[in-house]
Amino acid sequence: MSTPLPPLPSDADLRRLVQFSSSDGRIWLAGQRMLLLHAAALGSLRRELMEDIGHEKTRRLLMRTGYSAGESDAALARKVRGDASMFSMFSVGPQLHMLEGAVQVTPLAFQEDMSKNLFKGLFRWDHSWEVETHVRDFGPQSQPVCWMLLGYATGYTSAFFGRRILFKETQCQACGHSHCLIEGRFREDWPDGEDMEADYKPDSTLIELQNLQKQVEVMRDKQPPVDDMGPLLGRSKSFVSAVDLLRKAAGTQVTVLLTGETGVGKERFARALHALSDRASHPFVAINCAALPPDLIESELFGAEKGAYTGSSAARPGRFERADGGTLMLDELGELPLPVQSKLLRVLQDGVVERLGGTVPRRVNVRVVAATNVDLAAAVEKGQFRQDLLYRLNVYPIRVPPLRERAEDIETLAQHMLQKFSERHNKSLAGFSDRALEALRNHAWPGNVRELENLIERGVILTGPGEWVDVERLFPALPGSGAEALATVSKSGRLAAGGSGQGQALLNDLMDRKLSINALERLLIQEAVDRSNGNISAAARLLGLTRPQLSYRLNKMSDDNA
Ligand SMILES: [Zn+2]
């Protein structure tokens, strides 16, 4: 049973408490110093916190901040409306919250009787500043985001009644609801009251460390090695859906066909599939069908008995047998010779291998992951690939997208690789320069993730300790020879890969200055003579001239000047 609530009282008494003392740079709310702060500025603080200390710590930190604001306002309530009804007096909090610009509050239910241990509060929130800023920065959410507001409600109400009353945001506009809704109860009336209350305790370093340790243990148990997961970093749509397909396949025994250009990371996908599957404790074996001569590949795959071919002095198991219980990756499958294709098909159908020169069938339990960068359907048309084998392998195709389709992932990948190679080469670098990042984002990446990886490892090696990795460290093949390598990023952000040479920026600069060849020659000679302190032989060496050649030019210069 609930009686309808009276409307909120006029807030004129509260508005009178706000005083702008602009001459001395202060704003007062009944003796408390206030700030008129840009919501966007607080929003950017929030965003940086999220990025620096993470979602959970930011949430609790902001809840505690709101809590202390609510606590301060509670002190005003009895002072300002000491002889009003309980509802009017309590309404100071919601009304100040509105006045302070945080949110619009509509009380939906308010019942209290401290002597009977009764409290129930239900409030509707509209126009929460936290919803606005959070959704703008991070998009729609699955969990409520009005952390400071919630802390305020909890802090205000707890201080007002002198009892621990906790609010929960039961629906939030950030999650797609039409408005936010909060409910307040005594801590002991919430089934999870103890956890809720813990949010208001300062994060102790000790607890943090314990949690971290727990997380590490969980990760060690569940996650494949970091290096296998690293390249699966990425948020772009095409990549996420490929990873999603991979995860779904991991729990099954299905044969997976990975397609995609050279360097997109097909082997990493295969390793991740293995690591995520229940075969993870068994071997992962990879074979590159293009890297072995055709006459060797059969014995490599299926093994050979002693004397099976010239020079085979001992029996040896093939990759299928070595991968027993685990995963076998057949990379560049399109290169597999036709006779081996038919044997592979039989193995896939029967789960049995026969070594070369042997007669004993051996049962193997292997999940096959095939990978190719050629169009196998086209290879079937040309008679280079067996159609029945393609059918057999093409049950579960996953296309790994090229890097140029994942432009938004480039920076994340680059940062990850920078860290990895800095550790590998034991270097501490300042990071990427803005120009370098710009160039990375705009490169076409024909060699995909592998190209990016090579380029960043080279950049890490070339950059001095503590320095920024700059464009010319990443793309040293660009214009520039001799002393200073020069590269430019055009207005569109593309690298000026000006073909032939001597530093496009320098050339642009000279052309812009409209220097004649004679003037340029004079400047060069002058500079060389100056740098050599007038020693003509030394100056000639700097210019790649003989001493007589330089003397001749110097004489000519003084004749011209005369
Ligand atoms: Zn909300």
Side-chain angles (χ1 to χ4, degrees):
M1 179 223 84
S2 67
T3 45
L5 289 173
L8 287 170
S10 156
D11 67 351
D13 52 349
L14 302 178
R15 277 187 280 123
R16 273 197 298 276
L17 298 176
V18 183
Q19 288 168 343
F20 289 87
S21 180
S22 55
S23 60
D24 63 3
R26 288 183 287 182
I27 304 171
W28 300 101
L29 175 68
Q32 301 176 50
R33 186 165 179 182
M34 305 293 283
L35 290 174
L36 196 57
L37 189 69
H38 297 83
L42 202 50
S44 85
L45 173 68
R46 180 190 181 97
R47 187 175 62 242
E48 287 204 27
L49 282 171
M50 290 277 283
E51 282 158 6
D52 280 347
I53 64 173
H55 179 281
E56 271 318 279
K57 278 180 133 180
T58 305
R59 180 178 68 84
R60 291 197 296 268
L61 183 69
L62 293 180
M63 282 173 76
R64 290 195 296 277
T65 309
Y67 188 98
S68 89
E71 229 174 1
S72 305
D73 282 356
L76 285 180
R78 287 178 198 271
K79 213 173 354 178
V80 181
R81 293 187 186 154
D83 39 25
S85 73
M86 182 54 87
F87 177 70
S88 287
M89 211 190 323
F90 182 81
S91 296
V92 166
Q95 287 182 292
L96 280 178
H97 216 186
M98 285 196 270
L99 203 59
E100 287 159 15
V103 68
Q104 180 187 17
V105 191
T106 311
L108 300 178
F110 180 77
Q111 293 170 303
E112 70 77 37
D113 190 338
M114 290 299 130
S115 63
K116 290 182 185 153
N117 266 336
L118 173 73
F119 179 83
K120 191 181 176 224
L122 201 60
F123 298 85
R124 169 186 170 144
W125 279 343
D126 291 273
H127 317 302
S128 152
W129 81 269
E130 290 190 282
V131 167
E132 270 179 37
T133 189
H134 201 98
V135 170
R136 188 173 53 229
D137 285 339
F138 300 104
Q141 299 293 306
S142 58
Q143 297 291 319
V145 302
C146 301
W147 305 327
M148 264 177 102
L149 300 189
L150 198 70
Y152 181 98
T154 296
Y156 176 84
T157 312
S158 297
F160 183 91
F161 288 112
R163 296 275 306 265
R164 183 46 65 93
I165 292 167
L166 299 167
F167 276 80
K168 188 180 270 191
E169 191 170 14
T170 53
Q171 64 177 53
C172 183
Q173 216 183 336
C175 308
H177 295 284
S178 58
H179 54 266
C180 305
L181 200 64
I182 60 162
E183 189 183 337
R185 300 185 198 170
F186 287 119
R187 177 194 49 200
E188 49 273 24
D189 290 346
W190 286 112
D192 52 348
E194 212 173 304
D195 289 348
M196 288 169 71
E197 192 180 33
D199 285 334
Y200 295 98
K201 293 192 178 119
D203 288 319
S204 120
T205 311
L206 210 59
I207 294 171
E208 278 302 302
L209 281 176
Q210 279 172 352
N211 287 344
L212 274 177
Q213 200 166 357
K214 260 185 229 156
Q215 281 171 22
V216 168
E217 277 161 15
V218 170
M219 280 165 75
R220 208 179 282 149
D221 288 351
K222 293 199 173 163
Q223 298 296 314
V226 170
D227 230 4
D228 287 344
M229 287 308 286
L232 295 191
L233 278 177
R235 293 192 302 185
S236 61
K237 209 175 141 211
S238 59
F239 187 74
V240 168
S241 57
V243 173
D244 196 43
L245 280 174
L246 187 82
R247 287 189 192 283
K248 285 183 179 132
T252 73
Q253 303 304 327
V254 72
T255 300
V256 172
L257 178 63
L258 297 167
T259 64
E261 296 173 10
T262 300
V264 290
K266 294 189 287 292
E267 178 161 352
R268 267 111 181 212
F269 262 68
R271 286 185 183 277
L273 179 75
H274 174 72
L276 293 167
S277 74
D278 56 8
R279 297 173 171 267
S281 57
H282 296 280
F284 173 87
V285 176
I287 181 168
N288 185 329
C289 305
L292 287 166
D295 51 337
L296 268 188
I297 197 151
E298 193 174 348
S299 65
E300 267 306 313
L301 276 176
F302 309 114
E305 293 297 355
K306 185 178 176 182
Y309 53 90
T310 327
S312 63
S313 52
R316 50 193 296 266
R319 306 274 174 118
F320 264 100
E321 283 176 70
R322 279 190 262 158
D324 196 22
T327 308
L328 176 65
M329 181 194 190
L330 304 172
D331 204 356
E332 305 212 36
L333 184 75
E335 301 298 317
L336 204 63
L338 277 166
V340 188
Q341 287 180 26
S342 52
K343 195 159 179 187
L344 172 63
L345 181 63
R346 283 201 304 278
V347 176
L348 291 176
Q349 280 166 343
D350 307 338
V352 166
V353 287
E354 247 175 59
R355 290 180 180 174
L356 227 70
T359 48
V360 192
R362 297 162 196 269
R363 183 150 292 279
V364 286
N365 169 17
V366 169
R367 186 229 283 265
V368 168
V369 183
T372 178
N373 55 14
V374 299
D375 183 353
L376 289 181
V380 169
E381 301 254 302
K382 287 190 228 153
Q384 292 161 351
F385 202 83
R386 292 183 64 113
Q387 184 154 39
D388 45 8
L389 180 58
L390 178 58
Y391 285 151
R392 186 88 203 177
L393 292 170
N394 203 20
V395 187
Y396 197 91
I398 300 177
R399 176 182 173 270
V400 185
L403 193 52
R404 65 180 172 281
E405 279 180 26
R406 308 171 48 197
E408 57 193 295
D409 292 339
I410 291 171
E411 186 170 341
T412 314
L413 285 167
Q415 300 287 8
H416 170 80
M417 291 168 185
L418 180 68
Q419 197 186 339
K420 182 172 106 182
F421 290 121
S422 298
E423 281 165 23
R424 180 177 299 174
H425 298 290
N426 200 14
K427 266 200 181 167
S428 167
L429 304 176
F432 292 109
S433 72
D434 288 343
R435 232 161 50 108
L437 281 176
E438 179 100 345
L440 288 173
R441 277 193 292 269
N442 287 292
H443 188 57
W445 302 114
N448 292 299
V449 178
R450 190 181 299 149
E451 183 186 5
L452 178 67
E453 199 163 32
N454 292 342
L455 206 126
I456 287 174
E457 178 161 26
R458 188 174 56 205
V460 166
I461 292 169
L462 291 177
T463 305
E467 288 175 12
W468 298 94
V469 181
D470 209 347
V471 158
E472 51 268 24
R473 302 285 181 235
L474 294 173
F475 298 90
L478 283 165
S481 65
E484 184 76 354
L486 290 166
T488 55
V489 178
S490 72
K491 277 186 188 141
S492 68
R494 292 203 177 273
L495 277 174
S500 62
Q502 301 288 337
Q504 195 63 40
L506 176 62
L507 292 181
N508 289 344
D509 191 40
L510 291 173
M511 294 310 278
D512 289 349
R513 286 163 191 255
K514 298 193 166 46
L515 274 181
S516 71
I517 287 183
N518 283 339
L520 182 60
E521 182 181 320
R522 241 197 309 278
L523 279 175
L524 273 175
I525 290 174
Q526 205 68 63
E527 178 69 20
V529 173
D530 286 352
R531 285 191 187 198
S532 317
N533 294 321
N535 182 329
I536 304 302
S537 300
R541 278 196 297 277
L542 283 179
L543 294 164
L545 297 174
T546 61
R547 194 183 186 284
Q549 283 170 330
L550 179 57
S551 296
Y552 169 80
R553 283 176 165 80
L554 279 168
N555 288 334
K556 197 163 164 288
M557 272 165 65
S558 49
D559 289 347
D560 290 349
N561 287 341

